[in-house]
Structures are given as C-alpha cells and as structure tokens.
Amino acid sequence: GVFPYAAFMAINFLHISEEQAGPYAALFATSFMIGRTAAAHFWAVLADVHGRRLAMILSLAGSGFASLWFGMTNSYTQAIIARGMIGALNSIVGVSKTVASELAFFDFDKCNDQNENGEAVKEDDEHAPQQQQQLEQLETRIVGRVMSMRAYGFLIAPALAGFLADPLDVREKGIAIITSVEGSVLHRSCYKLLSKYPY
C-alpha cells in the first residue's frame, strides 16, 4: 500500500519538488520487486526442504518487522532498503499457491485406508479419470480464491494506506483521539509520534 503516498515520502525525505518526485517514488516499487526476485529461489528451497508452514510463518513475521521498519524510517535510503527487505521476505503468494494445489490433490482418505500391516489398500482405478478431473477443478477453485484474496488486498490496502498516511497534515481536525485529549500526555505523545513518523 505504498503507492498512494510514495511521492509524498520522497518529497518529505529529500526535500524536492512535486515535479521531481516521480523517479524517486518509483524506486519504492522497484526495490520491492528486486527483493522479491532475489529471494524467490531461497524461499522455494526452504519450503521444499523444511515445509510450507515454516516458510509462511517466517515470511509473515519477516514482512511484518520489515513493514514496521519501513514505516519508522527517517531517511530515503533506509526506506528503500526496508522496502527491498519487505519484498525479500514476502513469499506468501508463491507458497500459498503451492499449498493450494497440494491441498486439492492430497487424498486425506488414503491416510486412513491401510490394512493391519500398515500397507496402503489398493483401490479400483475404474473411476480414476473422473476423480482426476474433479481434483483439477478443485485446484482451479482453490487457486482462484487465493488469487482473489490477493486482488482484494491490492484494492483495500492502497485505500487504507492513503487514508492513514500523514494524518497531521492531511486531517488536522479529523483525529478524534488527539483532539479530544488535547493538552494531555497522550496528546503530546501521539503528536510527537505522528510528527516524527507520518507514514
């Protein structure tokens, strides 16, 4: 959700005009994709060797910490590095699509269909083509839902990020918490925090 305020971050950090902010704002998106491309192979190997769950947990935790770092940077260089780290630590899309495909084709019933010696019971392959077609349709639906959630995120995140960015400058009278406790310790703390880290 950096796109709504990327240009304003560049202006704030570099003290440049609006006409000069375009290339600097574009570097936020570029650094994210560079980080994602550089770390894609690592996440694929990690997910194959140590499991999908570990890869997703580490990716979520790393992306969360990198996002906090990005939001609390005070320089353009730090912001670019933090944005690249967000991309490098973001493996959710690739791993989640893999998990979706594996869940569609994984036969949970076969785990229980074993004889007394622990050997898998052979089933009749008469309906195998029909079952394969049903599994492929299930895979299509699951992956479609995963990508739909990603698309919804792309729709909601920029709107939410743009609404929350730089609230002291954009909505001086719209912060109910701060205005309702004006002059208190909470007011001073919130004002100092949002003044130092507006994004």
Side-chain angles (χ1 to χ4, degrees):
V2 71
F3 298 108
Y5 56 85
F8 298 103
M9 286 189 74
I11 294 172
N12 185 30
F13 288 146
L14 301 174
H15 304 289
I16 57 179
S17 63
E18 294 182 0
E19 291 77 11
Q20 298 173 318
Y24 297 99
L27 284 177
F28 287 119
T30 304
S31 61
F32 177 86
M33 297 310 298
I34 290 175
R36 173 180 282 186
T37 303
H41 181 71
F42 165 77
W43 286 112
V45 173
L46 180 68
D48 287 339
V49 175
H50 298 286
R52 319 292 191 228
R53 180 181 298 177
L54 178 63
M56 296 183 74
I57 291 174
L58 291 178
S59 177
L60 285 172
S63 298
F65 283 116
S67 297
L68 287 175
W69 179 26
F70 176 75
M72 302 185 74
T73 54
N74 287 321
S75 70
Y76 181 77
T77 303
Q78 288 184 17
I80 290 295
I81 296 173
R83 184 69 178 163
M85 289 300 297
I86 295 173
L89 295 171
N90 188 345
S91 68
I92 295 299
V93 177
V95 176
S96 61
K97 288 192 291 186
T98 304
V99 171
S101 299
E102 291 174 344
L103 288 176
F105 284 93
F106 186 77
D107 193 346
F108 294 95
D109 294 332
K110 283 188 177 181
C111 295
N112 299 322
D113 293 343
Q114 296 181 346
N115 57 20
E116 295 179 355
N117 297 326
E119 298 177 352
V121 178
K122 293 184 179 180
E123 297 180 355
D124 186 11
D125 294 336
E126 180 180 353
H127 302 291
Q130 182 179 1
Q131 292 177 353
Q132 181 69 19
Q133 184 179 3
Q134 292 176 350
L135 290 175
E136 290 177 355
Q137 293 175 353
L138 178 61
E139 179 190 20
T140 302
R141 290 197 299 270
I142 294 176
V143 175
R145 289 178 182 176
V146 169
M147 299 309 296
S148 297
M149 295 300 104
R150 182 169 180 256
Y152 292 145
F154 273 116
L155 288 174
I156 297 172
L160 185 61
F163 177 77
L164 296 176
D166 200 5
L168 295 181
D169 185 36
V170 178
R171 292 176 299 279
E172 294 181 355
K173 298 182 180 179
I175 309 176
I177 296 177
I178 294 179
T179 55
S180 62
V181 292
E182 186 173 358
S184 64
V185 176
L186 179 62
H187 174 268
R188 292 194 298 270
S189 300
C190 291
Y191 187 85
K192 288 174 63 177
L193 179 66
L194 294 176
S195 298
K196 189 175 182 180
Y197 307 111
Y199 299 103

